[in-house]
């Protein structure tokens, strides 16, 4: 054993190859575990070849547990893929090696012993009748290695000390142009947004219009829009990267791009040629700011129950009547994407249509200076900078050409086609928030002295920071994977759901732990981490609450073969 260790120490490439072999074997063992778990749960959920909705509801805990298992397995696979790219480029150093070991050790142990779906909901294999399957996973030699040698106190301490002393966690996208773009967005975010974000948050200020103009100059709003419409045509991976860096400074900045992403995606996928020419160039340039107007009071994620009514007038224009809530950036937007019911006789999805509705921006004295539209701000804990609104439509006019794609009854399907991109983008926001929490927690731990020494002296501080960094990397790689699948034109609702599910939890966990590292100061409004905690909390709720997201993932897993 000593001879083998000496050889590995003198030949780091051999150690890297061995690590990758172990990762590959452990991932395959985890995939086998997931397949067995799915097959064990499926009989109680299926009626013939179809999923039984009543059974899905009755067995929700089991089903959502399966979704989390699948998410952990895919996260391990993408973490291994990240490490493999580093090995191929000769870039796997001590920091990255420790991240892989800690991540594999922690997530494999969770698969075997229990996964925390939330702070007080832990799904354990024995509850699902999977004890024997979990024991088989634990017995795999590579899995056993990571359980014993992966998430150790020594690795956690070393990882944090390395990063605290300037060690860099690689974030290359493997494309020089995208990496250069990341540096530009990161520099802008850290110089123009991060120093002022907390003051803007405390004052409940909108993101300053000059910041929006500078984001426009960087091309943020047109990253995913084709060059023929004034965009950059770089796809979802580039959008993820930019969103992550902006959100690392302030989630509001990262979320501005989401408005353009949703509106642009809807028009690109479903709009007529005339609608694309009329709206996409302005959205891509940032001259037109968009709002997504979908949610209604008492409906939440149940979009099929929407009651807002759209009816055609004699002159061919449309009128909108009804109420919407939790509408982000509504007052300052120039156009609203409105989901409304055009067929009152169809109470389901088929009665819904999507509209492109122009409106004037707010004025100093009137939030909604247009006939037929009124509303007010919803005061919120965090996620400020764009503000949330409740809206009331009363004979609000939409032009005759405002029906998206000029197709009635297609609104729900059109919206569903954008959910993959929206959830990937939200996962990227969560990754940025997780990094922000880590940055603030590490900085405070380095600077703060307790009993005559830095907080980094204390194992429970370094333990927190180590897992914060490791999970941020793992959530990032899962999110990038979903974005790459989308860019390849492949269906990725399952991958997007996993990314959003995990990244939102990682952001909240990281923010909560960073507050704990700050101690009493973390509870003070003057410290940035108080803002990050509030911002992180929304991520588990919007774009599909964690419970809804787990259901989406579970359906995909159960339907797979």
């Amino acid at each position: 054993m000593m001879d083998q260790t000496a050889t590995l120490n003198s030949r780091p490439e051999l150690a890297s190859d061995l690590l990758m072999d172990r990762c590959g074997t452990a991932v395959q063992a985890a995939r086998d575990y997931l397949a067995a778990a799915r097959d064990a749960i499926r009989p109680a959920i299926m009626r013939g070849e179809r999923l039984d909705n009543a059974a899905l509801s009755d067995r929700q805990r089991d089903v959502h547990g399966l979704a989390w298992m699948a998410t952990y397995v895919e996260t391990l696979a993408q973490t291994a893929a990240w490490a493999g790219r580093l090995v191929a480029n000769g870039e796997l150093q001590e920091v990255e090696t420790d991240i892989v070991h800690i991540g594999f050790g922690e997530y494999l142990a969770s698969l075997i012993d229990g996964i925390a779906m939330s702070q007080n909901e832990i799904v354990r294999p024995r509850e699902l009748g999977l004890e024997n399957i979990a024991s088989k996973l634990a017995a795999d030699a590579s899995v056993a290695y990571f359980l014993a040698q992966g998430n150790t106190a020594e690795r956690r301490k070393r990882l944090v000390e390395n990063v605290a002393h300037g060690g860099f966690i690689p974030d290359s996208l493997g494309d020089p142009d995208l990496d250069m773009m990341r540096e530009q967005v990161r520099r802008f975010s850290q110089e123009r947004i991060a120093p002022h974000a907390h003051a803007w948050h405390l004052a409940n200020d909108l993101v300053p219009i000059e910041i929006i103009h500078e984001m426009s100059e960087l091309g943020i709003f047109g990253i995913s829009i084709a060059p023929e419409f004034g965009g950059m045509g770089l796809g979802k991976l580039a959008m993820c990267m930019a969103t992550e860096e902006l959100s690392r400074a302030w989630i509001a900045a990262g979320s501005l791009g989401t408005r353009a992403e949703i509106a642009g995606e809807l028009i690109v996928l479903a709009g007529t040629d005339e609608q694309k020419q009329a709206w996409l160039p302005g959205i891509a340039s940032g001259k037109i700011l968009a709002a997504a107007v979908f949610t209604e009071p008492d409906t939440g994620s149940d979009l099929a129950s929407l009651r807002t009514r759209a009816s055609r007038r004699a002159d061919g224009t449309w009128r909108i009547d009804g109420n919407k809530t939790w509408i982000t950036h509504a007052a300052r937007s120039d156009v609203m994407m409105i989901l409304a019911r055009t067929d009152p006789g169809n109470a389901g999805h088929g009665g819904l249509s999507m509209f492109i509705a122009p409106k004037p921006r707010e004025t100093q004295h009137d939030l909604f200076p247009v006939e037929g539209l009124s509303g007010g701000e919803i005061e919120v804990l965090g996620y400020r900078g764009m503000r949330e609104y409740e809206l009331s439509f009363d004979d609000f006019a939409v032009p005759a050409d405002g029906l998206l794609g000029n197709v009635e009854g297609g609104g729900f399907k059109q919206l569903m086609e954008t959910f993959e991109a929206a959830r990937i983008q939200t996962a990227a926001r969560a990754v940025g928030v997780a990094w922000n929490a880590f940055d603030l927690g590490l900085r405070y731990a380095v600077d703060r002295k307790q009993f005559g020494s830095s907080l980094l002296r204390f194992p429970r501080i370094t333990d927190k920071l180590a897992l914060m960094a490791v999970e941020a990397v793992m959530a990032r790689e899962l999110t990038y994977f979903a974005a790459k699948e989308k860019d390849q034109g492949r269906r990725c609702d399952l991958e997007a759901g996993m990314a959003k599910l995990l990244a939102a939890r990682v952001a909240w966990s990281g923010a909560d732990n960073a507050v704990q590292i700050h101690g009493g100061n973390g509870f003070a409004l003057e410290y940035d981490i108080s803002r990050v905690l509030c911002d992180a909390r929304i991520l588990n709720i919007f774009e599909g609450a964690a419970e809804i997201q787990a259901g989406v993932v579970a359906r995909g897993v159960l339907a797979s073969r």
Side-chain angles (χ1 to χ4, degrees):
M1 178 63 70
M2 291 183 64
D3 289 343
Q4 183 186 34
T5 300
T7 301
L8 291 174
N9 288 336
S10 63
R11 297 280 301 280
E13 70 276 9
L14 296 181
S16 296
D17 289 344
L18 180 57
L19 174 61
M20 294 316 303
D21 286 344
R22 284 169 169 161
C23 285
T25 304
V27 167
Q28 185 56 55
R31 290 199 187 281
D32 293 342
Y33 167 77
L34 175 63
R38 179 197 61 209
D39 292 344
I41 292 172
R42 183 184 275 145
I45 308 300
M46 304 294 291
R47 294 297 177 266
E49 295 298 316
R50 298 176 62 86
L51 293 171
D52 185 304
N53 289 329
L56 285 169
S57 179
D58 292 341
R59 301 288 295 270
Q60 187 186 61
R61 182 178 174 81
D62 296 0
V63 169
H64 288 193
L66 182 67
W68 276 101
M69 291 176 189
T71 299
Y72 269 42
V73 171
E74 193 59 56
T75 301
L76 288 170
Q78 297 312 315
T79 302
W82 171 68
R85 291 190 294 272
L86 293 174
V87 169
N89 294 329
E91 297 173 348
L92 188 76
Q93 305 299 322
E94 188 172 64
V95 166
E96 302 82 60
T97 299
D98 283 338
I99 286 173
V100 173
H101 274 86
I102 294 169
F104 265 70
E106 179 64 17
Y107 275 36
L108 287 168
S110 294
L111 283 168
I112 293 164
D113 299 327
I115 297 174
M117 298 191 292
S118 70
Q119 288 89 329
N120 63 356
E121 295 174 285
I122 300 175
V123 58
R124 297 180 174 88
R126 68 172 180 271
E127 296 179 78
L128 309 182
L130 304 176
E131 302 100 316
N132 292 338
I133 300 173
S135 296
K136 182 179 179 181
L137 175 62
D140 179 89
S142 292
V143 172
Y145 165 79
F146 284 115
L147 294 176
Q149 304 295 327
N151 186 16
T152 64
E154 178 185 0
R155 288 191 188 278
R156 295 191 297 270
K157 181 175 185 291
R158 183 171 61 209
L159 171 61
V160 174
E161 288 179 346
N162 276 336
V163 176
H165 290 94
F168 179 70
I169 298 175
D171 52 20
S172 172
L173 294 169
D175 182 320
D177 291 335
L178 292 183
D179 289 340
M180 184 182 301
M181 183 179 176
R182 183 196 287 277
E183 287 304 313
Q184 292 174 335
V185 178
R186 177 176 291 170
R187 189 180 310 113
F188 165 76
S189 300
Q190 296 305 315
E191 292 177 359
R192 297 289 293 126
I193 298 173
H196 313 290
H198 200 58
W200 293 334
H201 161 84
L202 292 176
N204 193 30
D205 287 339
L206 291 167
V207 176
I209 199 68
E210 58 268 23
I211 294 296
I212 293 179
H213 291 159
E214 292 177 43
M215 290 173 63
S216 298
E217 292 172 2
L218 284 172
I220 298 298
F221 301 109
I223 288 176
S224 298
I225 294 176
E228 65 185 287
F229 299 114
M232 301 174 72
L234 295 178
K236 306 309 179 187
L237 181 59
M239 186 72 237
C240 272
M241 172 274 296
T243 298
E244 177 188 341
E245 292 300 333
L246 290 164
S247 299
R248 191 169 186 166
W250 189 22
I251 192 174
S255 295
L256 276 169
T258 307
R259 308 306 105 197
E261 179 76 12
I262 293 173
E265 186 92 346
L266 278 167
I267 296 171
V268 165
L269 293 177
T272 64
D273 290 341
E274 292 78 12
Q275 288 169 340
K276 293 175 184 178
Q277 292 292 343
W279 293 106
L280 290 178
I283 293 171
S285 69
K287 293 179 180 178
I288 294 176
L289 301 178
V293 185
F294 309 143
T295 307
E296 294 185 5
D298 302 322
T299 62
S301 298
D302 184 13
L303 293 177
S305 299
L306 296 185
R307 293 188 293 272
T308 294
R309 178 84 167 89
S311 54
R312 195 184 290 273
R313 294 168 165 153
D315 63 358
T317 63
W318 295 85
R319 64 173 288 174
I320 307 289
D321 297 278
N323 299 294
K324 297 286 186 177
T325 192
W326 295 112
I327 308 304
T328 305
H329 215 206
R332 194 161 63 176
S333 66
D334 304 295
V335 65
M336 300 178 292
M337 306 301 296
I338 304 175
L339 188 63
R341 190 168 299 281
T342 49
D343 183 358
N346 186 337
H349 299 145
L352 300 174
S353 300
M354 187 71 69
F355 292 88
I356 309 172
K359 60 171 280 294
R361 292 188 185 183
E362 65 180 349
T363 67
Q364 184 176 357
H365 304 292
D366 193 348
L367 288 175
F368 301 101
V370 60
E371 187 175 350
L373 176 60
S374 60
E377 183 181 352
I378 302 171
E379 295 186 3
V380 292
L381 290 170
Y383 193 54
R384 300 174 180 177
M386 293 181 295
R387 300 181 185 163
E388 302 296 316
Y389 299 87
E390 53 186 2
L391 305 180
S392 178
F393 296 90
D394 183 9
D395 196 12
F396 174 75
V398 176
D401 61 357
L403 179 64
L404 181 64
N406 198 28
V407 175
E408 284 192 47
F412 184 79
K413 180 180 178 181
Q414 292 164 347
L415 183 59
M416 290 300 102
E417 290 177 346
T418 71
F419 269 13
E420 292 178 348
R423 285 170 176 165
I424 292 168
Q425 220 264 355
T426 298
R429 284 185 278 176
V431 171
V433 171
W435 282 123
N436 195 352
F438 174 75
D439 294 340
L440 294 170
L442 179 63
R443 188 183 312 148
Y444 190 87
V446 169
D447 294 342
R448 177 71 169 174
K449 298 297 186 293
Q450 191 77 25
F451 304 113
S453 61
S454 165
L455 289 181
L456 289 182
R457 170 175 170 267
F458 300 101
R460 289 202 60 196
I461 299 297
T462 51
D463 282 354
K464 289 178 177 65
L465 288 166
L467 267 296
M468 287 162 66
V470 168
E471 287 204 287
V473 169
M474 297 174 83
R476 181 191 72 194
E477 294 307 312
L478 184 62
T479 300
Y480 288 177
F481 170 62
K484 292 172 186 176
E485 290 292 289
K486 184 70 174 176
D487 284 339
Q488 291 296 317
R490 291 191 278 265
R491 180 177 176 178
C492 62
D493 53 337
L494 183 61
E495 294 82 1
M498 290 177 176
K500 200 272 184 184
L501 187 66
L502 180 68
R505 195 201 65 187
V506 167
W508 172 247
S509 173
D512 187 38
N513 277 307
V515 167
Q516 192 70 22
I517 290 169
H518 280 70
N521 287 334
F523 204 62
L525 289 177
E526 67 179 282
Y527 283 81
D528 285 34
I529 192 58
S530 67
R531 176 191 83 250
V532 176
L533 181 75
C534 293
D535 288 346
R537 191 62 191 88
I538 191 62
L539 290 159
N540 254 322
I541 299 173
F542 67 7
E543 296 294 347
E547 292 78 9
I548 297 296
Q549 210 62 59
V552 170
V553 172
R555 282 177 175 273
V557 173
L558 287 165
S560 65
R561 291 293 180 184

